[in-house]
Amino acid sequence: MKAKPFEISKKVVLEAWKAVKANRGAAGVDRKSIADFEKDRKNNLYKIWNRMSSGSYFPPPVRTVGIPKKSGGERLLGIPTVADRVAQTVAKLYLEPLVEPYFHKDSYGYRPGKSAIQAVGVTRKRCWKYEWVLEFDIKGLFDNINHDLLIRAVRKRTNCKWLLLYIDRWLKAPFQREDGMLVQRIKGTPLGGCDKPLACQSRSALQGLDQLLRELL
């Protein structure tokens, strides 16, 4: 029996499915729900493992839904298919331990065991120690992040071929609007759904900013 070019654990695929199931969420472009996926779970998980291990996994388009912003306009929420959420979570489970040690202890976004509530708690304590607060927002980070820079940031932490291959494919997977029209992407990454490895990437791309702020402050 010919060995697969990429070594991906079936156990990790099962772990990824459990995480996706627990997180629930809506159906993607294929309109298959968590319940639909579970009806043929064993076969569905095998397909994901087989395709990812052989290098033949291609993510389907990401269903998008417009959500109104408080400041006006719309933010696009990306909803990958259930199967793609499992595949992304597989990548996240491999990628996260590689990048996590490099993040600043005060970085709370998209990290395991970290939350916005924790960030507020730390801020509440520190407001008694300092007389100033620095607040800023990176406008349209997920909408505009450069794909090449993002991949370059990931390459600094891993040379795993299958991770780099699939992250690149996820970045390029088109949006599917509510009217069915496909929109090709040359920058940005969808927010929402299960953008696990993509969120890890975005945090990786911001490591330089973390370092700069530490030096300045």
Side-chain angles (χ1 to χ4, degrees), residues 93-140:
L93 291 172
Y94 278 96
L95 178 63
E96 200 168 63
L98 301 176
V99 299
E100 180 63 24
Y102 296 96
F103 294 143
H104 190 271
K105 65 179 182 179
D106 285 334
S107 176
Y108 289 90
Y110 303 101
R111 295 181 62 192
K114 297 275 191 175
S115 70
I117 293 175
Q118 289 176 322
V120 170
V122 171
T123 303
R124 183 180 292 117
K125 291 178 181 178
R126 290 181 182 171
C127 72
W128 295 101
K129 296 181 181 180
Y130 303 99
E131 296 179 349
W132 54 271
V133 173
L134 176 63
E135 181 181 9
F136 63 91
D137 178 49
I138 301 176
K139 185 176 181 181

Side-chain angles (χ1 to χ4, degrees), residues 31-192:
R31 302 297 173 181
K32 289 184 179 179
S33 65
I34 295 282
D36 294 331
F37 186 95
E38 192 161 30
K39 288 176 183 176
D40 195 17
R41 185 194 67 180
K42 187 175 181 180
N43 188 44
N44 287 330
L45 293 181
Y46 177 80
K47 286 179 183 177
I48 294 169
W49 170 82
N50 187 48
R51 289 170 184 173
M52 292 189 77
S53 298
S54 64
S56 61
Y57 180 79
F58 287 88
V62 178
R63 178 184 160 214
T64 56
V65 178
I67 296 177
K69 292 183 180 179
K70 290 181 180 179
S71 57
E74 275 191 337
R75 181 187 302 280
L76 284 181
L77 179 69
I79 307 175
T81 64
V82 174
D84 195 44
R85 298 206 294 269
V86 173
Q88 286 198 30
T89 304
V90 169
K92 176 249 186 187
L93 291 172
Y94 278 96
L95 178 63
E96 200 168 63
L98 301 176
V99 299
E100 180 63 24
Y102 296 96
F103 294 143
H104 190 271
K105 65 179 182 179
D106 285 334
S107 176
Y108 289 90
Y110 303 101
R111 295 181 62 192
K114 297 275 191 175
S115 70
I117 293 175
Q118 289 176 322
V120 170
V122 171
T123 303
R124 183 180 292 117
K125 291 178 181 178
R126 290 181 182 171
C127 72
W128 295 101
K129 296 181 181 180
Y130 303 99
E131 296 179 349
W132 54 271
V133 173
L134 176 63
E135 181 181 9
F136 63 91
D137 178 49
I138 301 176
K139 185 176 181 181
L141 170 64
F142 280 90
D143 295 333
N144 299 298
I145 195 161
N146 183 289
H147 289 177
D148 291 336
L149 291 178
L150 227 157
I151 290 291
R152 199 184 308 170
V154 178
R155 285 184 186 278
K156 285 186 176 182
R157 303 303 175 207
T158 181
N159 61 358
C160 177
K161 291 182 179 180
W162 72 263
L163 273 175
L164 293 167
L165 172 69
Y166 292 132
I167 287 171
D168 184 63
R169 288 180 185 175
W170 276 310
L171 285 170
K172 294 175 180 175
F175 286 141
Q176 181 171 302
R177 293 179 176 171
E178 293 181 76
D179 62 4
M181 181 181 291
L182 293 179
V183 180
Q184 300 300 321
R185 287 191 286 151
I186 57 172
K187 64 178 181 177
T189 180
L191 182 62

